[in-house]
Amino acid sequence: MLYQSNLPSSYWCYAFSTATYLINRLPSSVLAFKSPWELLFHSIPPLSSLKTFGCACFPLLKPYTDHKLQPKSTQCIFLGYPPLSKGYICFDPHSHKVYITPHVIFNESDFPIIPTGQSDSSSSSFPVHLPLDLWISNLLSGSSPSSFSDVSDALPSVSSSFPVS
């Protein structure tokens, strides 16, 4: 998925999450040609919202603008599905913002490339997730999620059009 979408390997966590999302909705011969979704919810999974990973997308940005003269959308990269809500994860490579919104228009034949100044290197060009060594060390030490507060500055800003409860 990363190769087809021209994304650097630092986005593997989004590709992995999207692959898991898709596997949970596909039928399996091990489950008598039913999907894990179907066994859990006793209904056929909705497949109409599936989109191509890494394609160009245009999320509605009106809820995030300060005034009416700002653009209502910008070209972003589709990175998957949020785990706790309906919608899509869209990454704006120019402003380094991640938007989670259900209001998106997709161009599944266009795969934008990350600007050259942000190419894949030994360190992650966009800190989308905790650094792998920090994540593993906290996992092995049995630390609670509250111990991640010292790295909150390294995480990207995430915007969502959903109310937080």
Side-chain angles (χ1 to χ4, degrees):
M1 287 180 7
L2 287 174
Y3 177 75
Q4 183 236 353
S5 61
N6 297 321
L7 290 174
S9 60
S10 59
Y11 291 86
W12 71 270
C13 60
Y14 286 111
F16 181 81
S17 175
T18 302
T20 303
Y21 182 89
L22 295 173
I23 288 169
N24 286 332
R25 283 154 179 78
L26 294 174
S28 170
S29 60
V30 175
L31 302 174
F33 296 101
K34 292 188 176 188
S35 67
W37 174 282
E38 194 172 352
L39 291 177
L40 184 63
F41 296 111
H42 305 290
S43 66
I44 296 174
L47 301 177
S48 61
S49 64
L50 298 181
K51 304 298 177 189
T52 306
F53 180 81
C55 70
C57 64
F58 298 87
L60 178 66
L61 300 179
K62 191 172 180 182
Y64 310 109
T65 58
D66 295 331
H67 56 81
K68 64 182 180 179
L69 297 178
Q70 287 183 317
K72 293 185 179 29
S73 186
T74 186
Q75 184 175 7
C76 294
I77 300 171
F78 171 64
L79 293 180
Y81 309 91
L84 301 176
S85 62
K86 277 189 172 179
Y88 304 97
I89 301 172
C90 305
F91 170 63
D92 183 357
H94 301 292
S95 67
H96 297 275
K97 288 188 178 182
V98 174
Y99 298 103
I100 299 175
T101 180
H103 308 292
V104 182
I105 296 174
F106 292 91
N107 181 357
E108 295 185 76
S109 61
D110 183 23
F111 293 91
I113 299 174
I114 302 292
T116 56
Q118 302 173 22
S119 63
D120 194 19
S121 61
S122 60
S123 65
S124 176
S125 59
F126 176 63
V128 175
H129 51 284
L130 291 175
L132 187 59
D133 55 344
L134 179 63
W135 183 79
I136 291 174
S137 65
N138 281 317
L139 182 66
L140 294 175
S141 68
S143 300
S144 66
S146 62
S147 65
F148 295 140
S149 61
D150 58 332
V151 295
S152 62
D153 296 334
L155 298 175
S157 60
V158 176
S159 302
S160 175
S161 62
F162 299 103
V164 178
S165 52

